[in-house]
Amino acid sequence: MGELLKFYVNGKEYTTEAGKTVLEALKDNGFYVPTLCYHPALSAVGSCRVCVVEIEGARNLSTACTTKVTDGMKIQTNSERVKRAVKFNLALLLSKHPNECMNCFADGRCEFQALINRYNVEDMFPKNVREYPADESSPSLFRDMSKCINCGRCVRACEELQGLSILSFVERGYETLPLPAFGFPIAATDCINCGQCSSICPTGAITERQDYRRVLDALEKHDKVLVCQTAPAVRVAIAEEFGAEPGTISIGQMVAAIRRLGFDYVFDTNFGADLTIMEEGSELLDRIKNGGRFPMFTSCCPGWVNLMEKLYPEYTENLSSAKSPHEMLGALVKSYFAEKIGKKPEDIMVVSIMPCTAKKDELTREQLRANGVPDVDAVLTTRELAKLIKMNGIPFFSLPEEEYDQPLGISTGAAALFAATGGVMEAALRTAYELYTGKELPKLDFNEVRGLEGIKESEVDLNGKKIKVAVAHGGSNVITLLEKLKSGEVYYDFIEIMACPGGCIGGGGQPKSTDPNVLEKRMKAVYRIDSEITPLRKSHENPAIKKIYEEYLEHPLSHKSHHLLHTHYTNRKKRIVERVKEFVKDS
Ligand code: SF4
Ligand code: SF4
Ligand code: SF4
């Protein structure tokens, strides 16, 4: 612990570590401070001025998020002057905001709405809502800038976390808005559809594209066999939507709730993750033995695939050709499982529950269809599933726990690791090592690739053959790694890339959180599933995986596996003018 400072809040003495901001020190000591533009994952800018406090000796009110505590500092958080200023600043924002809460996806989860209620803010100024056409161009995102409060969190998320700067503030004063360059629709930019801007937006101005209504219609009509699958990261986060702490594991309740919604089968995307390891691991070993493009990159993150195709297409051949786990599972539901239940692929609807907005965009890829029938029909985010559960009044935590359906519901701890950065690498190494060397791994945990460091590296010895591996997560770190790779500064044989900070646990479709430790908490839960909850910990030991190869797929990389479980990528690097022309032509 560093140097301790004394400071006073509303007349009482407290201590904090030197270097902390007033906001951090107040929160650490249990004080409530309203915030809007502040988010613990981003730099602090103090632009919304709702976190203002009074500091003795300072003429003006100070923003708690940008002011550092000094020894002996005297702070008032609840003086009349502070309360008046917070209410005034909120009222100014409210004057520009439409009163559409009842029809807004963010209703009940909107930080702005919560503050308006908490401070009992009424219209103090004439309503002057900015009219701006909603941007529905993206298959992943919906942007309604009339609801924007100019907090800038989306701009900073895209720049600081993702290194992409797709959004920036344009215009001045009242007209200021965070938009893509030249006000183009977002689909005409290099946006990778990661959705980090949507999960960090405190209002309903940027949300995922809301596909839950389409799924609700399908559940009501029920003219198809309805199959749902849930991704590894959803089970350690969805409980947050019902008020639980991040990292609460709720597998059994989630499966039970999905059945109550009316799905006929609930399968586990973790089965698809085990299959991914069999196919991707075998592809790595094949490249090692028979030659191929190195480094080989993992391919299960569609945000990363977008980034590669749009900005680094020179690596197209380096990507594993393995489809993402939910696409693999979808392809098997519409072939292997369809045969088992005597249905045609088009008579089955597959809905994937994902932590991910990029997976909504992934569905639009032509190469993920067989005879015009998509592997997966709809992707809902963790937030959308929670919305459906709430809309149906399903008592999430009082449900008796239920298990996934078979045979596509059995999985291993290795598959559970896919949720966190480093997890795909660890799962792949567990299998690749044993398949290559024929020996049992002395230790299953690969600690070098765990944790939240932006770029991690390690070396694995496969019977004397040294394999250099790296892991990167969050667009900024990914771009740093790729630039080093391009310049020849580093060399690796195998690289795991996840577009979102922390990997899928921090996906753009996960419950919104302002808990500074949310990723650590969700990550801890992922490792608990692997080491304490799931009896098997290696993908190649999954009995259901062995069975499907015996019964149907023959072996990894077989002709049938290639047909069903592998895909290809394209060069989508374009100048913005070409992208806009293409967008206009398509729409
Ligand atoms: S989806 Fe990702 S890349 Fe696109 S604007 Fe949002 S943060 Fe940026
Ligand atoms: S779109 Fe959302 S995150 Fe971005 S500035 Fe507006 S309110 Fe803030
Ligand atoms: S890291 Fe996970 S949640 Fe984020 S874009 Fe990739 S697959 Fe989706």
Side-chain angles (χ1 to χ4, degrees):
M1 192 183 276
E3 185 198 348
L4 278 186
L5 303 179
K6 264 191 218 162
F7 70 113
Y8 299 85
V9 185
N10 306 332
K12 287 209 176 134
E13 184 185 305
Y14 297 88
T15 54
T16 188
E17 261 179 70
K20 291 239 176 182
T21 62
V22 170
L23 179 66
E24 288 163 341
L26 287 171
K27 285 193 171 215
D28 290 349
N29 281 285
F31 285 91
Y32 170 77
V33 186
T35 52
L36 270 178
C37 69
Y38 173 81
H39 191 283
L42 306 173
S43 61
V45 290
S47 63
C48 71
R49 295 193 64 79
V50 303
C51 68
V52 286
V53 292
E54 209 170 344
I55 295 176
E56 196 176 279
R59 195 159 153 258
N60 297 322
L61 294 176
S62 310
T63 44
C65 66
T66 54
T67 308
K68 290 265 168 73
V69 176
T70 55
D71 201 30
M73 183 181 256
K74 293 194 172 69
I75 302 166
Q76 286 292 331
T77 62
N78 60 2
S79 66
E80 278 313 309
R81 191 176 166 211
V82 168
K83 284 194 261 182
R84 252 199 331 271
V86 173
K87 215 164 163 165
F88 181 87
N89 292 334
L90 287 170
L92 268 178
L93 293 173
L94 184 63
S95 69
K96 293 195 276 185
H97 198 84
N99 291 339
E100 287 175 8
C101 294
M102 278 185 294
N103 296 322
C104 180
F105 182 69
D107 182 35
R109 295 179 290 190
C110 171
E111 291 175 49
F112 182 52
Q113 184 189 44
L115 286 181
I116 296 296
N117 286 333
R118 191 178 199 281
Y119 286 87
N120 194 20
V121 181
E122 286 163 5
D123 286 331
M124 275 188 209
F125 306 102
K127 209 72 173 163
N128 197 0
V129 178
R130 287 170 302 185
E131 296 295 333
Y132 205 86
D135 180 357
E136 298 185 61
S137 64
S138 160
S140 296
L141 302 170
F142 175 75
R143 296 169 58 254
D144 178 356
M145 287 302 107
S146 69
K147 292 179 185 164
C148 176
I149 55 167
N150 283 3
C151 70
R153 273 157 58 162
C154 56
V155 175
R156 280 173 286 147
C158 194
E159 181 186 337
E160 295 172 14
L161 305 179
Q162 301 304 75
L164 292 164
S165 300
I166 301 299
L167 303 168
S168 54
F169 278 117
V170 298
E171 303 289 358
R172 289 287 177 273
Y174 169 80
E175 297 295 342
T176 307
L177 279 177
L179 298 177
F182 311 113
F184 286 151
I186 194 126
T189 70
D190 283 332
C191 169
I192 61 169
N193 290 308
C194 65
Q196 287 301 311
C197 51
S198 74
S199 63
I200 220 151
C201 175
T203 70
I206 308 183
T207 66
E208 59 272 64
R209 191 185 182 95
Q210 290 145 42
D211 292 307
Y212 71 91
R213 294 194 184 281
R214 189 156 68 85
V215 172
L216 204 55
D217 285 348
L219 285 162
E220 273 164 19
K221 263 212 254 152
H222 216 132
D223 55 356
K224 292 189 176 198
V225 177
L226 296 173
V227 174
C228 186
Q229 58 168 316
T230 67
V234 178
R235 67 205 68 197
V236 297
I238 189 165
E240 291 164 45
E241 288 282 334
F242 302 95
E245 261 290 286
T248 303
I249 301 168
S250 55
I251 306 172
Q253 287 98 348
M254 178 181 66
V255 172
I258 292 170
R259 287 217 180 88
R260 300 297 183 281
L261 287 174
F263 283 94
D264 300 304
Y265 297 93
V266 190
F267 291 138
D268 197 350
T269 311
N270 288 21
F271 176 94
D274 275 331
L275 202 56
T276 301
I277 289 303
M278 296 306 292
E279 294 294 325
E280 200 168 81
S282 302
E283 192 181 346
L284 176 68
L285 295 181
D286 185 63
R287 289 193 197 191
I288 291 171
K289 284 180 194 154
N290 304 319
R293 287 286 278 269
F294 285 100
M296 187 175 109
F297 289 100
T298 56
S299 58
C300 48
C301 167
W304 150 235
V305 173
N306 285 340
L307 193 151
M308 183 280 297
E309 288 184 331
K310 288 182 167 182
L311 300 173
Y312 294 91
E314 59 270 38
Y315 289 119
T316 306
E317 295 297 318
N318 294 62
L319 231 64
S320 161
S321 62
K323 287 182 183 173
S324 64
H326 85 118
E327 288 287 341
M328 283 199 183
L329 190 72
L332 285 178
V333 167
K334 296 211 175 168
S335 53
Y336 171 73
F337 185 68
E339 280 176 30
K340 272 196 181 299
I341 60 170
K343 292 282 176 190
K344 292 193 209 132
E346 53 271 34
D347 295 333
I348 301 177
M349 179 178 189
V350 177
V351 178
S352 301
I353 312 298
M354 298 283 128
C356 182
T357 53
K359 290 213 159 81
K360 288 174 181 276
D361 163 66
E362 187 187 27
L363 295 194
T364 62
R365 289 175 174 261
E366 273 310 310
Q367 57 268 49
L368 296 176
R369 291 169 175 262
N371 305 321
V373 180
D375 295 339
V376 172
D377 299 274
V379 165
L380 301 187
T381 61
T382 311
R383 296 191 290 262
E384 284 178 288
L385 173 63
K387 175 117 184 161
L388 274 183
I389 294 171
K390 287 179 195 168
M391 281 168 82
N392 282 276
I394 297 169
F396 190 76
F397 286 121
S398 7
L399 291 173
E401 295 192 29
E402 293 182 13
E403 299 210 334
Y404 286 102
D405 286 299
Q406 305 309 339
L408 307 176
I410 298 175
S411 64
T412 68
L417 298 181
F418 270 58
T421 162
V424 181
M425 176 61 72
E426 186 165 346
L429 292 179
R430 286 181 189 176
T431 287
Y433 180 92
E434 297 203 351
L435 293 186
Y436 189 86
T437 64
K439 291 189 237 159
E440 194 171 338
L441 254 179
K443 186 170 138 287
L444 282 188
D445 299 350
F446 287 83
N447 290 323
E448 297 88 345
V449 296
R450 293 187 174 191
L452 287 170
E453 206 181 315
I455 300 173
K456 298 165 275 188
E457 49 178 26
S458 183
E459 197 172 83
V460 189
D461 190 335
L462 297 182
N463 267 356
K465 175 149 186 68
K466 301 252 194 285
I467 302 291
K468 283 194 79 176
V469 303
V471 169
H473 62 106
S476 295
N477 298 317
V478 172
I479 290 168
T480 304
L481 179 72
L482 292 174
E483 287 300 326
K484 282 187 179 176
L485 208 58
K486 267 175 71 171
S487 69
E489 193 184 329
V490 291
Y491 172 81
Y492 302 103
D493 298 291
F494 187 33
I495 303 179
E496 177 208 288
I497 305 260
M498 290 289 167
C500 295
C504 301
I505 48 172
Q510 290 283 62
K512 296 183 181 193
S513 179
T514 51
D515 181 338
N517 302 314
V518 65
L519 294 179
E520 283 93 340
K521 290 176 186 174
R522 290 176 185 163
M523 187 177 261
K524 230 169 140 186
V526 169
Y527 289 118
R528 206 158 81 71
I529 295 176
D530 170 42
S531 60
E532 293 172 28
I533 297 180
T534 320
L536 292 171
R537 298 184 67 195
K538 301 171 204 164
S539 299
H540 55 288
E541 291 183 352
N542 180 340
I545 292 283
K546 288 182 189 169
K547 190 160 175 249
I548 207 165
Y549 277 115
E550 274 162 30
E551 270 186 16
Y552 196 68
L553 295 169
E554 296 163 19
H555 55 83
L557 308 184
S558 70
H559 181 70
K560 203 159 194 173
S561 296
H562 260 295
H563 173 65
L564 286 170
L565 310 179
H566 290 256
T567 184
H568 62 272
Y569 314 99
T570 51
N571 179 346
R572 292 196 284 151
K573 190 168 189 166
K574 288 190 174 75
R575 288 186 305 130
I576 192 150
V577 181
E578 291 163 358
R579 226 181 257 304
V580 170
K581 273 192 204 154
E582 182 187 82
F583 174 77
V584 171
K585 184 168 99 339
D586 288 350
S587 52

